[in-house]
Amino acid sequence: MLYAIVGQDVPNSLENRLAARPAHLSRLNELDATGRLAMAGPFPAIDSIDPGPAGFSGSLIVAEFDSLDAAQTWADADPYVATGVYATVSVRPFKQVFPRG
């Protein structure tokens, strides 16, 4: 089943986010390599694809896991959690309707 993982950044997270990004992307690449990643990306803090020093306000990851507990465990181990980028993380079951697969 798919799960939506939404991380909300702490204020002024850009420096920590950039430092932890390689480890964060490595985990996403592992999900992608196994065909379990549906989509992932950050929320720019301003209305721009490249927010520059404004940074990001959070992230969305939609991926397949065996259970809600497995998705939560994976989310809790994210480098953005460990380094204090995320203030909160929510994990919820997700039903994809569009695009049709």
Side-chain angles (χ1 to χ4, degrees), residues 2-7 17 24-25 27-29 31-32 36-43 58-65 71 74-76 78-81 86 89-94:
L2 291 174
Y3 294 88
I5 300 168
V6 179
R17 181 181 266 273
H24 173 77
L25 292 180
R27 297 177 81 236
L28 292 173
N29 283 326
L31 284 178
D32 192 38
R36 296 169 45 208
L37 184 63
M39 72 173 71
F43 300 117
S59 302
L60 168 67
I61 300 165
V62 179
E64 185 178 335
F65 292 93
W74 187 91
D76 290 343
D78 194 288
Y80 284 176
V81 172
Y86 290 155
V89 177
S90 67
V91 180
R92 298 168 45 185
F94 181 80

Side-chain angles (χ1 to χ4, degrees), residues 6 12-13 17 21 26 30-31 40 45 48 51 61 63 68 80 97:
V6 179
N12 303 310
S13 64
R17 181 181 266 273
R21 188 170 188 263
S26 177
E30 289 174 17
L31 284 178
S48 174
I61 300 165
L68 179 58
Y80 284 176
V97 176

